[in-house]
């Protein structure tokens, strides 16, 4: 049974909510076009951290290395697309100190510092680099692999097994209820990310539909049943390779009962008294903001 009861609605995209979404000025490609200028942006990773330019250290606005060649020796390189017509390369290096004027930073550390369009391409780059780093050997016979399908995949030199980047789908759901006192949002604080209240989330299991995952995870984590499931939108989340698929839903029945070991706390928060919310880079924040905007279009949370 299809448990999406209502038609798909458009995902509102306020201008401040670009986050990690690839901009429309970016074209995803795996092979550089023949007429593209040599070089371009270099998204270089060392142990999961990105090389960025800095004149006086963060939080001065950092940037990404540009030029015909990478600014330090790299062990591999992969083309990932064009940003405003400029080639974007990702590469990795090992145990090399950054050259003068550069530092290595985590992607999360670059939130609100690196321009959004560069941060989004860096998110794609991080997943590409991580895929090639962790699939040098075949998962079937352990022989060496090589690039395949124009760089999208890796193929085993011995047995021919082909592997594409792994993407882990996860559902996110914001449960709401409208009472005589206004709208309330169900926000939870997970045991693994205990610093902030957010929408519920969980990974899709083998052969499970995303819709069934929403119903299962919601009941497991907070003990309630939901209805009126509506698709909101999706977003890649490169920590390390998730695809967040977000919904809204209405409370149908049940009182909150937090799952031990998974959920530290969960509460119904009135829109007029919300806790600290997730960063604007997450689809959770866009989901929460959209639910607030329906009932309180001038709410201060929408301006952050
Ligand atoms: Zn093999």
């Amino acid at each position: 049974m299809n448990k999406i009861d209502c038609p798909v609605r458009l995902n509102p995209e306020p201008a401040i909510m670009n986050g990690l979404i690839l901009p429309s000025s970016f074209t995803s490609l795996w092979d550089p076009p023949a007429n593209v200028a040599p070089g371009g942006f270099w998204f270089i990773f060392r142990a999961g951290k990105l090389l960025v330019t800095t004149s006086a250290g963060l939080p001065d606005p950092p940037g990404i290395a540009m030029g015909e060649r990478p600014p330090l020796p790299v062990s591999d390189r992969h083309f990932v697309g064009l940003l405003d017509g400029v080639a974007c390369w990702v590469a990795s290096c090992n145990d090399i100190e950054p050259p003068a004027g550069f530092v290595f930073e985590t992607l999360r550390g670059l939130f609100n510092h690196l321009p959004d369009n560069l941060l989004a391409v860096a998110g794609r780059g991080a997943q590409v680099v991580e895929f090639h780093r962790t699939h040098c050997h075949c998962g079937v016979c352990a022989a060496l692999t090589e690039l395949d399908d124009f760089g999208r995949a890796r193929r085993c030199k011995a047995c021919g097994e082909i592997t594409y980047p792994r993407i882990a789908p996860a559902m996110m759901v914001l449960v709401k209820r409208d009472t005589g006192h206004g709208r309330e949002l169900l926000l939870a604080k997970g045991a693994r990310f205990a610093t902030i209240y957010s929408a519920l989330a969980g990974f899709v299991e083998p052969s499970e539909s995303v819709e069934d995952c929403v119903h299962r995870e919601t009941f497991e984590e907070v003990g309630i049943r939901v209805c009126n499931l509506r698709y909101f939108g999706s977003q890649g989340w490169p920590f390390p390779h998730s695809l967040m698929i977000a919904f809204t839903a209405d409370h149908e029945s049940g009182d909150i009962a937090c799952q031990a070991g998974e959920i530290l706390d969960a509460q119904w928060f009135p829109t007029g008294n919300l806790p600290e919310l997730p960063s604007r880079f997450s689809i959770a924040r866009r989901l929460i903001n959209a639910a607030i905007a329906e009932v309180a279009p001038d709410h201060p949370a929408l301006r952050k």
Side-chain angles (χ1 to χ4, degrees), residues 138 140-143 156 158-161:
C138 175
V140 175
C141 74
C156 177
C159 76
E161 176 80 4

Coordinates of all heavy atoms in Angstrom, one line a residue, residues 138 140-143 156 158-161, ligand 1:
C138 N 39.1 -5.2 -4.7 CA 37.8 -5.8 -4.9 C 37.2 -6.4 -3.6 O 37.9 -7.1 -2.9 CB 38.0 -6.9 -6.0 SG 36.5 -7.8 -6.3
V140 N 35.1 -8.8 -3.6 CA 34.8 -10.2 -3.8 C 36.1 -11.0 -3.7 O 36.2 -12.0 -2.9 CB 34.2 -10.4 -5.2 CG1 34.1 -11.9 -5.5 CG2 32.9 -9.7 -5.3
C141 N 37.2 -10.6 -4.4 CA 38.4 -11.4 -4.5 C 39.7 -10.7 -3.9 O 40.7 -11.2 -3.9 CB 38.7 -11.9 -5.9 SG 39.3 -10.6 -7.0
A142 N 39.5 -9.4 -3.6 CA 40.6 -8.6 -3.0 C 41.7 -8.2 -4.0 O 42.7 -7.6 -3.6 CB 41.2 -9.3 -1.8
A143 N 41.5 -8.5 -5.3 CA 42.5 -8.0 -6.2 C 42.4 -6.5 -6.4 O 41.4 -5.9 -6.0 CB 42.3 -8.7 -7.6
C156 N 37.1 -4.7 -10.9 CA 38.2 -5.6 -10.5 C 39.0 -6.1 -11.7 O 38.4 -6.5 -12.7 CB 37.6 -6.7 -9.7 SG 38.9 -7.9 -9.2
A158 N 40.8 -8.6 -11.7 CA 40.9 -10.1 -11.8 C 39.5 -10.7 -12.1 O 39.4 -11.5 -13.0 CB 41.4 -10.6 -10.4
C159 N 38.5 -10.4 -11.3 CA 37.2 -11.1 -11.5 C 36.2 -10.2 -12.2 O 35.1 -10.7 -12.6 CB 36.7 -11.5 -10.2 SG 36.0 -10.2 -9.1
G160 N 36.5 -8.9 -12.5 CA 35.5 -8.1 -13.2 C 34.4 -7.5 -12.4 O 33.6 -6.8 -13.0
E161 N 34.4 -7.7 -11.1 CA 33.3 -7.1 -10.3 C 33.4 -5.6 -10.4 O 34.4 -5.0 -10.3 CB 33.6 -7.5 -8.8 CG 32.6 -6.9 -7.8 CD 31.3 -7.6 -7.8 OE1 31.1 -8.7 -8.5 OE2 30.3 -7.1 -7.1
Ligands
LIG1 ZN1 37.6 -9.3 -7.8

